[in-house]
Amino acid sequence: LGLLYQEYRDKSTRQEIETRRLQDSQTDPEESSPSEETPSETEPASTPESTAAPQLNLLRNSNSRFNLWQDLPEIRSSGILSILQPDEIKLQEAMFELVTSEASYYKSLNLLVSHFMENERLKKILHQSEAHILFSNVLDVMAVSERFLLDLEQRVEENIVISDVCDIVYQHTVNHFSVYITYVSNQTYQERAYKQLLQDKPAFREVISQLELDPKCKGLSFSSFLILPFQRITRLKLLVQNILKKVEEKSERETTALDAHKELETVVKACNEGVRKMSRTEQMISIQKKLEFKIKSVPIISHSRWLLKQGELQQMNGPKTSRTLRTKKLFREIYLFLFNDLLVICRQIPGDKYQVFDSAPRGLLRVEELEDQGQSLANVFILRLLENADDREASYMLKASSQSEMKRWMISLAPNRRTKFVSFTSRLVDCPQIQCVHPYVAQQPDELSLELADVLNILDKTDDGWIFGERLHDQERGWFPSSTGEEILNPKIRAQNLKECFRVHKSDDSQRRKLGSRNRQ
């Protein structure tokens, strides 16, 4: 492919967005999108220049056109498009995209190694340990991608109609894809080392800038190449999901796709956990140093504990006179550290320290919103500690700076509290949905990073432009600005998205049912 993976991925996701927009505007979601139409009968069929298999012509083509399986001259001239059912053509396209995107990804990896890592000037500037942190085990990742791509190409060579690719995905995920966990787990060190090198070594900064200007890089930054393996392993899971949605139900291909998806999900989760582990440990050590206990000390650092949310709220001091209301002394500042299993309530003291005066297990927290209480009590909610640091029940009336901040605190403090809309996991027939059209990087622990074309159920929303959503492909939840997405208005498309999601995760559901049955026994 003429396209680097960054370009390929961007085109692919934007095409997905446009396809969904078109479907959303139609009354029948089964109507084909332009990307899925079969070629016109009147269009002249191209004669293949050789007997080479169609996928090899595409992978070796320097033309940067974004190709479809059905666009290949060999496919058009074979007459196969008039024989295959529309659903099978869509499945062929889904499998073909997995192959061509791997070729594009391998090309970008190769450029990262040959153009950046093996550059003689860069080698002289970087110490061996710096180079190791910066490039990690990228050679192992590239070798795995090459082996994977060769097996995919061989499969496509076997027949003009691709039989399956998920069995190959499964084998490589089980046997080789652990190299991704190693690479991605190094990401925090990698980012830090890159920033430090840019800051401390002008020669490094100069060489990287010159290398980025090379036409080979097509205007893409060095950092966009470094992040490729993490983006690819996540995208690969979505490509298998796309195949899974199109294979016939209860078929061998469905079983293979489910197996491949399950293994990929395991690798992606291990990658995510690897990234989080180091940053969480450092964050917990930093927080512990800032806390001073007015009550009995609680050990903060634990391998199973991490921060969910922190920030300042206003605490109501109790019944006050109207004069106090006028002078705005009804509330005083408190600071909350909310962990996955513990709430710590503090007051900020000089020296960037926090004095802890109460705490409670997160499972013993309850929240309640106050409504229609006038402007002075706007964005106020009640926080109840069923059992606090003194082994008694305690209540706090807390005021947030905005409606979104109030809702974010309430959902974080009591995650099982019912939201405005019900989660898709409840098997609700319909639920508001949104698709991401602008990527978003989470700024706070309770936010959700979004990629282009992500589809989410809307669980809650605020008047000041925030949405609490649950992403369909991995059930991750979090807040994000409403400006990042477009709501899906067609109820048939929403229902279709849910149906596809249930199908993708049905193996997870059966596993959960087995565990539940075992626990009951």
Side-chain angles (χ1 to χ4, degrees), residues 452-509:
L452 284 173
D454 278 352
V455 177
L456 305 99
N457 274 350
I458 298 172
L459 304 184
D460 212 334
K461 56 170 69 173
T462 67
D463 297 334
D464 52 351
W466 284 85
I467 289 175
F468 182 59
E470 181 174 61
R471 189 163 43 214
L472 293 192
H473 77 72
D474 60 5
Q475 286 97 63
E476 288 285 325
R477 292 183 175 193
W479 290 91
F480 53 90
S482 55
S483 57
T484 60
E486 293 175 354
E487 199 157 336
I488 297 171
L489 303 175
N490 190 327
K492 289 185 178 179
I493 297 299
R494 293 198 297 268
Q496 181 177 298
N497 289 339
L498 288 180
K499 182 182 175 184
E500 289 174 348
C501 187
F502 299 153
R503 187 178 176 193
V504 165
H505 294 286
K506 71 180 180 181
S507 61
D508 301 342
D509 293 343

Side-chain angles (χ1 to χ4, degrees), residues 396-458:
Y396 294 90
M397 185 179 285
L398 303 174
K399 182 179 174 69
S401 58
S402 64
Q403 187 197 39
S404 60
E405 191 62 13
M406 178 190 71
K407 286 199 170 189
R408 286 169 70 161
W409 269 112
M410 291 178 72
I411 285 175
S412 295
L413 289 161
N416 296 324
R417 179 178 171 271
R418 184 184 172 91
T419 53
K420 186 173 182 180
F421 306 106
V422 181
S423 157
F424 89 89
T425 49
S426 67
R427 301 301 190 258
L428 193 69
V429 175
D430 196 14
C431 177
Q433 288 176 5
I434 193 168
Q435 79 160 331
C436 173
V437 295
H438 303 291
Y440 180 70
V441 178
Q443 305 298 310
Q444 300 291 335
D446 66 336
E447 293 178 10
L448 188 62
S449 291
L450 300 181
E451 298 281 355
L452 284 173
D454 278 352
V455 177
L456 305 99
N457 274 350
I458 298 172

Side-chain angles (χ1 to χ4, degrees), residues 91-244:
L91 175 58
Q92 291 294 312
E93 294 291 7
M95 292 191 288
F96 188 65
E97 184 182 0
L98 191 146
V99 179
T100 54
S101 62
E102 188 65 30
S104 180
Y105 167 63
Y106 177 73
K107 178 178 180 175
S108 289
L109 276 183
N110 196 43
L111 190 61
L112 171 61
V113 171
S114 62
H115 186 62
F116 290 99
M117 182 179 170
E118 294 177 350
N119 180 269
E120 290 303 324
R121 287 176 65 197
L122 207 56
K123 280 182 178 179
K124 290 175 183 175
I125 293 167
L126 293 176
H127 187 272
Q128 191 175 353
S129 62
E130 291 171 331
H132 178 69
I133 293 171
L134 201 56
F135 295 103
S136 189
N137 64 327
V138 69
L139 291 176
D140 295 336
V141 173
M142 190 168 78
V144 164
S145 174
E146 183 176 19
R147 193 183 303 130
F148 182 41
L149 182 58
L150 285 170
D151 283 353
L152 291 171
E153 286 186 12
Q154 187 177 350
R155 175 60 56 82
V156 182
E157 281 178 344
E158 289 173 2
N159 197 308
I160 199 167
V161 177
I162 306 167
S163 59
D164 197 1
V165 293
C166 288
D167 57 329
I168 297 172
V169 175
Y170 174 81
Q171 291 296 335
H172 281 261
T173 306
V174 170
N175 297 317
H176 307 297
F177 282 5
S178 59
V179 297
Y180 281 96
I181 302 170
T182 305
Y183 186 93
V184 175
S185 298
N186 183 56
Q187 191 175 311
T188 306
Y189 294 101
Q190 186 186 62
E191 289 173 358
R192 188 178 298 166
Y194 180 50
K195 287 177 184 175
Q196 201 67 43
L197 286 166
L198 288 174
Q199 185 178 314
D200 297 345
K201 293 192 175 184
F204 173 80
R205 190 166 61 242
E206 184 186 342
V207 171
I208 290 294
S209 297
Q210 288 174 0
L211 292 174
E212 287 175 336
L213 290 172
D214 192 297
K216 291 178 192 171
C217 295
K218 300 188 177 181
L220 295 163
S221 68
F222 174 54
S223 57
S224 79
F225 287 90
L226 288 178
I227 202 171
L228 284 170
F230 185 42
Q231 291 179 331
R232 180 56 183 170
I233 197 67
T234 308
R235 184 66 183 168
L236 199 55
K237 188 188 84 165
L238 298 182
L239 291 170
V240 170
Q241 281 190 6
N242 195 34
I243 292 169
L244 183 51

Side-chain angles (χ1 to χ4, degrees), residues 269-401:
K269 283 179 180 175
C271 287
N272 286 329
E273 201 53 43
V275 171
R276 292 172 183 152
K277 192 173 182 181
M278 194 195 82
S279 58
R280 281 176 175 173
T281 303
E282 289 185 341
Q283 188 178 45
M284 297 300 286
I285 292 170
S286 173
I287 291 170
Q288 173 135 317
K289 288 178 180 176
K290 294 179 180 180
L291 298 182
E292 293 183 1
F293 285 83
K294 189 178 177 182
I295 56 171
K296 184 181 176 182
S297 179
V298 177
I300 295 297
I301 297 174
S302 165
H303 71 278
S304 59
R305 179 173 294 151
W306 61 89
L307 184 73
L308 293 180
K309 190 169 178 64
Q310 69 178 79
E312 189 177 86
L313 290 168
Q314 304 289 315
Q315 179 197 358
M316 184 175 180
N317 285 327
K320 298 289 177 180
T321 63
S322 56
R323 180 177 174 278
T324 310
L325 282 170
R326 283 197 300 273
T327 55
K328 298 182 180 178
K329 289 182 180 176
L330 182 60
F331 296 94
R332 64 180 296 191
E333 292 82 11
I334 64 169
Y335 201 92
L336 271 57
F337 289 96
L338 179 65
F339 304 100
N340 60 309
D341 62 346
L342 176 72
L343 172 68
V344 175
I345 306 176
C346 322
R347 287 199 175 88
Q348 194 160 9
I349 56 178
D352 193 26
K353 298 276 187 179
Y354 298 89
Q355 187 178 65
V356 181
F357 65 88
D358 210 350
S359 67
R362 187 177 176 222
L364 298 179
L365 303 177
R366 301 292 183 269
V367 292
E368 179 187 337
E369 185 176 350
L370 291 182
E371 296 179 0
D372 303 322
Q373 298 293 324
Q375 189 57 41
S376 64
L377 293 180
N379 306 321
V380 172
F381 66 97
I382 304 292
L383 169 64
R384 288 195 172 87
L385 283 56
L386 300 184
E387 189 178 302
N388 73 349
D390 296 326
D391 298 326
R392 60 182 177 80
E393 187 171 328
S395 291
Y396 294 90
M397 185 179 285
L398 303 174
K399 182 179 174 69
S401 58

